[in-house]
Amino acid sequence: MIDDLKKLLNTSYNIKLVEMVAKNNLSGSIASNIILPIAILVIFYRLIPYMHFWLMIHFFLFFSRMYVAKKISNYLKFNDKDKIYRYLKIYTILISITAILYGYIVWQSVLYTEDIHIFVMVTIITSIAAGSVSIFVSVFYIFVLFVILQMIPLICALIYHGNGMFYIVASMATLFMLIILLNGYRQFKTLKETILLKESFKNRVDDITCELKEKNKMLLRRSRQAAMGEIIDAIAHQWKQPLNAIVMSISMLENSAKANEVIKNKDIIDCYNIVNKQITHLTNTLNEFRNFFRADSNTELVSLKVLVDSALILLKDELLRNMIKVDVSCNENIFINVNSNDIIHLILSILSNAKDEMLKSNVDSKDRKIFINCYTQMSKVIIKIKDSGKGIDKKIIDDIFKMDFTTKGKTGGTGMGLYMCYLICEKYGATIKASNDNGAVFTVALKID
């Protein structure tokens, strides 16, 4: 019981409960602090001397509380708990003095009148004043202090007169006080449980959000690793041609030298140009491959055309080997603030999907085409990738961006490619949609920063 009482009177209250007191004091205290004191002044002005001084002190305390409540509200924005609790203690002192002022009125009414009707009126007014402090119930000890300091003088004054009628009124006042305290405790308990429930729910949501983010990062790594296998295979094929060209050029010079033929300067220069061109091609492929798998989460303002070209370099040989032509229409002046690898990954996934579907659908080699169109529309950057395949089955078009969904069977695909496209778009507040227009069309809409 003692421990429970200490908890109730503990000044280290939940910040949300303190915030409610500050807001309620600033917005909902006109009735109890302006209208009621003026009503008391009108009723007791002729009975109790110096009532105008009492009213002035009351208003001074009221505006002081308003100032302190404002300070608490300001410090709540910065979550400065030390200053919040310091001003809460000042606020408590001001509330206690205000309650004592009401007790003063009660004692003065005892000294200057014995009319039972006046006492009944004082009881009603005091009870109303005590009940009006429900705005303080979120910090329960303030509420308790105000009610007790206000009601106890009234009860004692009634008992002081010592006859039956006054005892009845004193009993009524005591009952009012207990009802007010009990009701206040119930309100406080409900508020506290509600806030704790909200905080628990928010913490749970935050935990789930963190888990989802970590899961998405893991999925992105898995998708990158899957893409790595495909691109390594593509690069293995892609490097065969330039390496063969280098070997052939050098072999021609070697054969001429072995045959004691005169090697012309033109032949040496031609050989150099061929080798240099092929080495440049190998270097570019290697750099794009390295950049794509570099763990970098920073965003930068980058040309969309550059990102499209980077993706095409990584798939160049794979597209050539399958005789797929790519038509790119992308303005070089379109810039987006993204992580480059994310958008390259997105474009690669869509291109790979388009390639696989055209091969799966047995599209004639001369008709295999992919169109990449980038443009701005309103306040968005649009990336539209269209292929000349047979399109997407209407039965599955709404499911293709779901996790683990694949039409390639257990050995043909993981169902991660388009799902990762969806996650990448979600990361940037973008949208991705699939449709059919003489082939599959994927439309990505990115917001312009």
Side-chain angles (χ1 to χ4, degrees), residues 343-364:
I343 303 304
I344 293 173
H345 189 171
L346 183 147
I347 296 170
L348 276 174
S349 295
I350 297 174
L351 292 176
S352 296
N353 191 74
K355 177 206 71 175
D356 293 342
E357 289 303 316
M358 283 192 285
L359 295 176
K360 179 183 174 183
S361 304
N362 296 316
V363 176
D364 194 279

PDB file of all heavy atoms in Angstrom, residues 343-364:
ATOM      1  N   ILE A 343      19.473   1.520 -58.536  1.00  0.00           N
ATOM      2  CA  ILE A 343      18.774   1.713 -59.821  1.00  0.00           C
ATOM      3  C   ILE A 343      19.357   0.794 -60.894  1.00  0.00           C
ATOM      4  O   ILE A 343      18.615   0.253 -61.726  1.00  0.00           O
ATOM      5  CB  ILE A 343      18.847   3.189 -60.255  1.00  0.00           C
ATOM      6  CG1 ILE A 343      18.255   4.090 -59.158  1.00  0.00           C
ATOM      7  CG2 ILE A 343      18.107   3.404 -61.567  1.00  0.00           C
ATOM      8  CD1 ILE A 343      16.835   3.739 -58.750  1.00  0.00           C
ATOM      9  N   ILE A 344      20.681   0.585 -60.879  1.00  0.00           N
ATOM     10  CA  ILE A 344      21.291  -0.364 -61.825  1.00  0.00           C
ATOM     11  C   ILE A 344      20.724  -1.760 -61.583  1.00  0.00           C
ATOM     12  O   ILE A 344      20.394  -2.492 -62.521  1.00  0.00           O
ATOM     13  CB  ILE A 344      22.826  -0.359 -61.685  1.00  0.00           C
ATOM     14  CG1 ILE A 344      23.403   0.990 -62.145  1.00  0.00           C
ATOM     15  CG2 ILE A 344      23.447  -1.477 -62.506  1.00  0.00           C
ATOM     16  CD1 ILE A 344      24.884   1.162 -61.888  1.00  0.00           C
ATOM     17  N   HIS A 345      20.622  -2.119 -60.297  1.00  0.00           N
ATOM     18  CA  HIS A 345      20.054  -3.418 -59.939  1.00  0.00           C
ATOM     19  C   HIS A 345      18.625  -3.543 -60.453  1.00  0.00           C
ATOM     20  O   HIS A 345      18.231  -4.581 -61.014  1.00  0.00           O
ATOM     21  CB  HIS A 345      20.089  -3.579 -58.424  1.00  0.00           C
ATOM     22  CG  HIS A 345      19.736  -4.948 -57.946  1.00  0.00           C
ATOM     23  ND1 HIS A 345      19.879  -5.338 -56.645  1.00  0.00           N
ATOM     24  CD2 HIS A 345      19.240  -6.026 -58.584  1.00  0.00           C
ATOM     25  CE1 HIS A 345      19.484  -6.586 -56.513  1.00  0.00           C
ATOM     26  NE2 HIS A 345      19.088  -7.029 -57.680  1.00  0.00           N
ATOM     27  N   LEU A 346      17.837  -2.493 -60.272  1.00  0.00           N
ATOM     28  CA  LEU A 346      16.443  -2.489 -60.723  1.00  0.00           C
ATOM     29  C   LEU A 346      16.365  -2.686 -62.241  1.00  0.00           C
ATOM     30  O   LEU A 346      15.595  -3.525 -62.735  1.00  0.00           O
ATOM     31  CB  LEU A 346      15.792  -1.171 -60.300  1.00  0.00           C
ATOM     32  CG  LEU A 346      14.303  -1.000 -60.610  1.00  0.00           C
ATOM     33  CD1 LEU A 346      13.640  -0.167 -59.520  1.00  0.00           C
ATOM     34  CD2 LEU A 346      14.092  -0.296 -61.946  1.00  0.00           C
ATOM     35  N   ILE A 347      17.155  -1.912 -62.990  1.00  0.00           N
ATOM     36  CA  ILE A 347      17.137  -2.003 -64.457  1.00  0.00           C
ATOM     37  C   ILE A 347      17.620  -3.370 -64.915  1.00  0.00           C
ATOM     38  O   ILE A 347      17.038  -3.991 -65.819  1.00  0.00           O
ATOM     39  CB  ILE A 347      18.000  -0.878 -65.071  1.00  0.00           C
ATOM     40  CG1 ILE A 347      17.393   0.495 -64.742  1.00  0.00           C
ATOM     41  CG2 ILE A 347      18.122  -1.052 -66.588  1.00  0.00           C
ATOM     42  CD1 ILE A 347      18.292   1.667 -65.094  1.00  0.00           C
ATOM     43  N   LEU A 348      18.683  -3.885 -64.275  1.00  0.00           N
ATOM     44  CA  LEU A 348      19.207  -5.206 -64.621  1.00  0.00           C
ATOM     45  C   LEU A 348      18.154  -6.293 -64.436  1.00  0.00           C
ATOM     46  O   LEU A 348      18.008  -7.190 -65.279  1.00  0.00           O
ATOM     47  CB  LEU A 348      20.428  -5.531 -63.753  1.00  0.00           C
ATOM     48  CG  LEU A 348      21.785  -5.007 -64.208  1.00  0.00           C
ATOM     49  CD1 LEU A 348      22.838  -5.313 -63.149  1.00  0.00           C
ATOM     50  CD2 LEU A 348      22.192  -5.607 -65.542  1.00  0.00           C
ATOM     51  N   SER A 349      17.429  -6.223 -63.319  1.00  0.00           N
ATOM     52  CA  SER A 349      16.417  -7.244 -63.026  1.00  0.00           C
ATOM     53  C   SER A 349      15.319  -7.245 -64.080  1.00  0.00           C
ATOM     54  O   SER A 349      14.883  -8.308 -64.538  1.00  0.00           O
ATOM     55  CB  SER A 349      15.810  -7.011 -61.634  1.00  0.00           C
ATOM     56  OG  SER A 349      16.783  -7.190 -60.627  1.00  0.00           O
ATOM     57  N   ILE A 350      14.871  -6.042 -64.476  1.00  0.00           N
ATOM     58  CA  ILE A 350      13.806  -5.953 -65.478  1.00  0.00           C
ATOM     59  C   ILE A 350      14.312  -6.425 -66.841  1.00  0.00           C
ATOM     60  O   ILE A 350      13.625  -7.151 -67.560  1.00  0.00           O
ATOM     61  CB  ILE A 350      13.261  -4.514 -65.557  1.00  0.00           C
ATOM     62  CG1 ILE A 350      12.615  -4.121 -64.218  1.00  0.00           C
ATOM     63  CG2 ILE A 350      12.234  -4.395 -66.676  1.00  0.00           C
ATOM     64  CD1 ILE A 350      12.163  -2.677 -64.141  1.00  0.00           C
ATOM     65  N   LEU A 351      15.538  -6.021 -67.214  1.00  0.00           N
ATOM     66  CA  LEU A 351      16.115  -6.446 -68.488  1.00  0.00           C
ATOM     67  C   LEU A 351      16.307  -7.961 -68.531  1.00  0.00           C
ATOM     68  O   LEU A 351      16.007  -8.612 -69.540  1.00  0.00           O
ATOM     69  CB  LEU A 351      17.452  -5.746 -68.725  1.00  0.00           C
ATOM     70  CG  LEU A 351      17.409  -4.230 -68.987  1.00  0.00           C
ATOM     71  CD1 LEU A 351      18.821  -3.668 -69.110  1.00  0.00           C
ATOM     72  CD2 LEU A 351      16.606  -3.917 -70.248  1.00  0.00           C
ATOM     73  N   SER A 352      16.831  -8.531 -67.441  1.00  0.00           N
ATOM     74  CA  SER A 352      17.036  -9.982 -67.382  1.00  0.00           C
ATOM     75  C   SER A 352      15.712 -10.722 -67.490  1.00  0.00           C
ATOM     76  O   SER A 352      15.606 -11.761 -68.166  1.00  0.00           O
ATOM     77  CB  SER A 352      17.734 -10.362 -66.070  1.00  0.00           C
ATOM     78  OG  SER A 352      19.022  -9.810 -66.011  1.00  0.00           O
ATOM     79  N   ASN A 353      14.686 -10.172 -66.824  1.00  0.00           N
ATOM     80  CA  ASN A 353      13.359 -10.784 -66.883  1.00  0.00           C
ATOM     81  C   ASN A 353      12.813 -10.735 -68.308  1.00  0.00           C
ATOM     82  O   ASN A 353      12.232 -11.717 -68.806  1.00  0.00           O
ATOM     83  CB  ASN A 353      12.421 -10.054 -65.925  1.00  0.00           C
ATOM     84  CG  ASN A 353      11.109 -10.791 -65.728  1.00  0.00           C
ATOM     85  OD1 ASN A 353      11.046 -11.810 -65.060  1.00  0.00           O
ATOM     86  ND2 ASN A 353      10.054 -10.270 -66.337  1.00  0.00           N
ATOM     87  N   ALA A 354      13.006  -9.581 -68.971  1.00  0.00           N
ATOM     88  CA  ALA A 354      12.538  -9.435 -70.357  1.00  0.00           C
ATOM     89  C   ALA A 354      13.257 -10.420 -71.282  1.00  0.00           C
ATOM     90  O   ALA A 354      12.639 -11.061 -72.146  1.00  0.00           O
ATOM     91  CB  ALA A 354      12.769  -8.000 -70.824  1.00  0.00           C
ATOM     92  N   LYS A 355      14.578 -10.548 -71.103  1.00  0.00           N
ATOM     93  CA  LYS A 355      15.372 -11.489 -71.921  1.00  0.00           C
ATOM     94  C   LYS A 355      14.872 -12.912 -71.735  1.00  0.00           C
ATOM     95  O   LYS A 355      14.634 -13.643 -72.709  1.00  0.00           O
ATOM     96  CB  LYS A 355      16.836 -11.383 -71.509  1.00  0.00           C
ATOM     97  CG  LYS A 355      17.769 -12.361 -72.226  1.00  0.00           C
ATOM     98  CD  LYS A 355      18.990 -12.661 -71.378  1.00  0.00           C
ATOM     99  CE  LYS A 355      18.617 -13.518 -70.173  1.00  0.00           C
ATOM    100  NZ  LYS A 355      19.759 -13.943 -69.364  1.00  0.00           N
ATOM    101  N   ASP A 356      14.692 -13.326 -70.466  1.00  0.00           N
ATOM    102  CA  ASP A 356      14.258 -14.693 -70.173  1.00  0.00           C
ATOM    103  C   ASP A 356      12.887 -14.987 -70.755  1.00  0.00           C
ATOM    104  O   ASP A 356      12.647 -16.082 -71.290  1.00  0.00           O
ATOM    105  CB  ASP A 356      14.237 -14.928 -68.659  1.00  0.00           C
ATOM    106  CG  ASP A 356      15.631 -14.911 -68.049  1.00  0.00           C
ATOM    107  OD1 ASP A 356      16.608 -15.060 -68.800  1.00  0.00           O
ATOM    108  OD2 ASP A 356      15.736 -14.729 -66.818  1.00  0.00           O
ATOM    109  N   GLU A 357      11.970 -14.019 -70.661  1.00  0.00           N
ATOM    110  CA  GLU A 357      10.608 -14.238 -71.148  1.00  0.00           C
ATOM    111  C   GLU A 357      10.565 -14.331 -72.660  1.00  0.00           C
ATOM    112  O   GLU A 357       9.796 -15.117 -73.229  1.00  0.00           O
ATOM    113  CB  GLU A 357       9.677 -13.123 -70.652  1.00  0.00           C
ATOM    114  CG  GLU A 357       9.367 -13.183 -69.173  1.00  0.00           C
ATOM    115  CD  GLU A 357       8.748 -14.511 -68.763  1.00  0.00           C
ATOM    116  OE1 GLU A 357       7.848 -15.006 -69.478  1.00  0.00           O
ATOM    117  OE2 GLU A 357       9.177 -15.072 -67.736  1.00  0.00           O
ATOM    118  N   MET A 358      11.388 -13.532 -73.353  1.00  0.00           N
ATOM    119  CA  MET A 358      11.415 -13.609 -74.816  1.00  0.00           C
ATOM    120  C   MET A 358      11.981 -14.950 -75.276  1.00  0.00           C
ATOM    121  O   MET A 358      11.503 -15.545 -76.251  1.00  0.00           O
ATOM    122  CB  MET A 358      12.220 -12.440 -75.399  1.00  0.00           C
ATOM    123  CG  MET A 358      11.460 -11.123 -75.394  1.00  0.00           C
ATOM    124  SD  MET A 358      12.251  -9.826 -76.366  1.00  0.00           S
ATOM    125  CE  MET A 358      13.604  -9.384 -75.273  1.00  0.00           C
ATOM    126  N   LEU A 359      13.014 -15.438 -74.594  1.00  0.00           N
ATOM    127  CA  LEU A 359      13.591 -16.732 -74.940  1.00  0.00           C
ATOM    128  C   LEU A 359      12.614 -17.863 -74.623  1.00  0.00           C
ATOM    129  O   LEU A 359      12.461 -18.816 -75.390  1.00  0.00           O
ATOM    130  CB  LEU A 359      14.901 -16.950 -74.183  1.00  0.00           C
ATOM    131  CG  LEU A 359      16.056 -15.999 -74.533  1.00  0.00           C
ATOM    132  CD1 LEU A 359      17.258 -16.266 -73.644  1.00  0.00           C
ATOM    133  CD2 LEU A 359      16.440 -16.112 -76.003  1.00  0.00           C
ATOM    134  N   LYS A 360      11.936 -17.725 -73.464  1.00  0.00           N
ATOM    135  CA  LYS A 360      10.966 -18.739 -73.051  1.00  0.00           C
ATOM    136  C   LYS A 360       9.785 -18.801 -74.026  1.00  0.00           C
ATOM    137  O   LYS A 360       9.235 -19.877 -74.293  1.00  0.00           O
ATOM    138  CB  LYS A 360      10.472 -18.409 -71.636  1.00  0.00           C
ATOM    139  CG  LYS A 360       9.441 -19.381 -71.087  1.00  0.00           C
ATOM    140  CD  LYS A 360       8.984 -18.917 -69.719  1.00  0.00           C
ATOM    141  CE  LYS A 360       7.844 -19.781 -69.200  1.00  0.00           C
ATOM    142  NZ  LYS A 360       7.346 -19.287 -67.887  1.00  0.00           N
ATOM    143  N   SER A 361       9.408 -17.632 -74.566  1.00  0.00           N
ATOM    144  CA  SER A 361       8.260 -17.554 -75.482  1.00  0.00           C
ATOM    145  C   SER A 361       8.648 -17.871 -76.922  1.00  0.00           C
ATOM    146  O   SER A 361       7.797 -17.772 -77.821  1.00  0.00           O
ATOM    147  CB  SER A 361       7.632 -16.156 -75.413  1.00  0.00           C
ATOM    148  OG  SER A 361       7.259 -15.834 -74.097  1.00  0.00           O
ATOM    149  N   ASN A 362       9.933 -18.184 -77.134  1.00  0.00           N
ATOM    150  CA  ASN A 362      10.421 -18.519 -78.480  1.00  0.00           C
ATOM    151  C   ASN A 362      10.147 -17.408 -79.489  1.00  0.00           C
ATOM    152  O   ASN A 362       9.712 -17.657 -80.625  1.00  0.00           O
ATOM    153  CB  ASN A 362       9.793 -19.831 -78.979  1.00  0.00           C
ATOM    154  CG  ASN A 362      10.208 -21.017 -78.121  1.00  0.00           C
ATOM    155  OD1 ASN A 362      11.378 -21.161 -77.761  1.00  0.00           O
ATOM    156  ND2 ASN A 362       9.239 -21.875 -77.798  1.00  0.00           N
ATOM    157  N   VAL A 363      10.386 -16.175 -79.063  1.00  0.00           N
ATOM    158  CA  VAL A 363      10.251 -15.038 -79.980  1.00  0.00           C
ATOM    159  C   VAL A 363      11.355 -15.128 -81.018  1.00  0.00           C
ATOM    160  O   VAL A 363      12.514 -15.404 -80.707  1.00  0.00           O
ATOM    161  CB  VAL A 363      10.339 -13.698 -79.213  1.00  0.00           C
ATOM    162  CG1 VAL A 363      10.299 -12.521 -80.175  1.00  0.00           C
ATOM    163  CG2 VAL A 363       9.208 -13.596 -78.193  1.00  0.00           C
ATOM    164  N   ASP A 364      10.995 -14.922 -82.285  1.00  0.00           N
ATOM    165  CA  ASP A 364      11.967 -14.994 -83.373  1.00  0.00           C
ATOM    166  C   ASP A 364      13.116 -14.022 -83.122  1.00  0.00           C
ATOM    167  O   ASP A 364      12.893 -12.899 -82.660  1.00  0.00           O
ATOM    168  CB  ASP A 364      11.276 -14.663 -84.703  1.00  0.00           C
ATOM    169  CG  ASP A 364      12.138 -15.049 -85.889  1.00  0.00           C
ATOM    170  OD1 ASP A 364      13.045 -14.250 -86.226  1.00  0.00           O
ATOM    171  OD2 ASP A 364      11.924 -16.135 -86.460  1.00  0.00           O
TER     172      ASP A 364
END
